[in-house]
Amino acid sequence: MKELAARLSDWSANAPPVACVQIMDVRGSAPRESGAFMLIGERWQAGTIGGGCLEWDCVHQARTLLQTGEAEWSHRFVLGPETGQCCGGRVDVRITRMDVALAARLQQQLAAQEEAWPVLVLFGAGHVGRALARALAPLPLRLIWVDPRAEEFGSVPEGVEARITSDWERVLAEIPAGSGVLVLTPNHSLDALIVAAALERGDLSYVGLIGSRTKRRRFEASFREIGLPEEQIASLICPIGDRGVRDKRPEIIAALVAAELIERFLPHPPQAA
């Protein structure tokens, strides 16, 4: 989706022709939902409508449309033997040559979807924090990356908001209900302060802390001492990315945490029956 947004922002009426392939309606099982779209140029494409023969045929038809100068093409695909797919559903697809009005509608659609993305705050720009920023940047969330050490960020991925600040309390106070927090600072005392404040809010959808089960037990004991309710303490995710893979390389940890966030935190589009 972020790639689609970038392509749309670069598009202009004077640019080489571009076609939009959009799913207009879905019945039954299908690889993507109604409204999903992709952009097709003469030698490039961005986005996906689900892959397989459905997408292959649509890409071919879109490029044919660009060559012939047609304005629009529509087709109903039955995802059975005739398409080489066995999903069993039905997909109505429309392919349209891009114009200013269509580009504006698509940008509005993407903007509305992005507005609904949850906020995730990543505290810590160490080696795991950097790997996480790279892994999470493409996902449908608004990632805020916080650390007072400017030199630790390195190259900030596109779409990630880096905040060079030690005022973690303000950052935590400003995020809306339903947001998520990942805590990976180099200081365990600071970790404890941030996690305690996040749990105390009681309205966050995800609070994750890097560390071992021993670290968790020690933090739990300190949280009980300050009177945090057991229900809020139990909601803490620690260790993060605990999926039975014993590998501490930053990139592996980041991949495991990304999978965990997708399962626990990110909203999923409705699936057709």
Side-chain angles (χ1 to χ4, degrees):
M1 181 169 167
K2 293 179 180 179
E3 182 188 11
L4 285 170
R7 286 286 186 179
L8 283 170
S9 65
D10 291 341
W11 183 86
S12 72
N14 297 322
V18 175
C20 172
V21 180
Q22 187 161 24
I23 296 179
M24 307 307 297
D25 190 35
V26 170
R27 290 289 183 272
S29 179
R32 287 296 306 272
E33 69 283 357
S34 178
F37 71 91
M38 61 190 301
L39 301 179
I40 307 296
E42 291 182 355
R43 293 183 176 83
W44 60 268
Q45 64 187 68
T48 179
I49 58 168
C53 292
L54 168 66
E55 182 166 304
W56 177 268
D57 290 347
C58 286
V59 170
H60 174 75
Q61 187 60 46
R63 290 191 170 131
T64 299
L65 180 144
L66 292 177
Q67 292 170 4
T68 61
E70 291 179 77
E72 189 174 293
W73 181 87
S74 297
H75 187 70
R76 173 169 292 174
F77 290 88
V78 178
L79 304 179
E82 67 181 58
T83 59
Q85 293 179 261
C86 58
C87 301
R90 188 198 79 198
V91 178
D92 293 344
V93 174
R94 183 170 67 197
I95 302 175
T96 310
R97 179 181 288 267
M98 185 84 79
D99 60 19
V100 173
L102 175 59
R105 288 199 302 272
L106 294 175
Q107 286 176 320
Q108 290 172 355
Q109 178 180 328
L110 291 180
Q113 293 176 9
E114 186 172 347
E115 186 65 26
W117 288 354
V119 172
L120 179 71
V121 182
L122 172 60
F123 290 100
H127 56 289
V128 178
R130 291 191 294 271
L132 269 167
R134 292 191 296 270
L136 300 178
L139 299 183
L141 53 81
R142 288 178 284 166
L143 183 60
I144 300 173
W145 192 12
V146 180
D147 198 297
R149 304 165 298 168
E151 69 280 3
E152 289 296 316
F153 286 94
S155 178
V156 178
E158 186 176 354
V160 175
E161 179 186 348
R163 295 191 188 179
I164 304 168
T165 180
S166 58
D167 192 359
W168 60 267
E169 293 171 292
R170 179 176 180 178
V171 174
L172 193 58
E174 289 177 346
I175 60 176
S179 298
V181 169
L182 264 173
V183 182
L184 306 95
T185 82
N187 186 304
H188 283 201
S189 296
L190 180 58
D191 283 351
L193 289 172
I194 297 174
V195 170
L199 294 175
E200 192 171 27
R201 279 191 51 154
D203 63 353
L204 299 179
S205 295
Y206 179 95
V207 179
L209 169 68
I210 196 168
S212 64
R213 288 178 175 80
T214 300
K215 181 178 179 180
R216 180 190 180 108
R217 287 194 293 270
R218 290 177 177 171
F219 275 40
E220 286 178 339
S222 66
F223 294 156
R224 291 186 183 101
E225 289 178 1
I226 63 173
L228 274 180
E230 287 296 327
E231 181 180 357
Q232 292 177 358
I233 294 174
S235 69
L236 173 64
I237 307 299
C238 179
I240 53 173
D242 187 16
R243 307 173 71 85
V245 179
R246 302 305 173 203
D247 192 320
K248 296 184 179 180
R249 286 175 290 181
E251 295 78 11
I252 303 298
I253 294 172
L256 296 171
V257 174
E260 179 176 271
L261 285 164
I262 290 168
E263 289 179 346
R264 294 173 176 254
F265 178 60
L266 292 181
H268 302 288
Q271 298 297 311

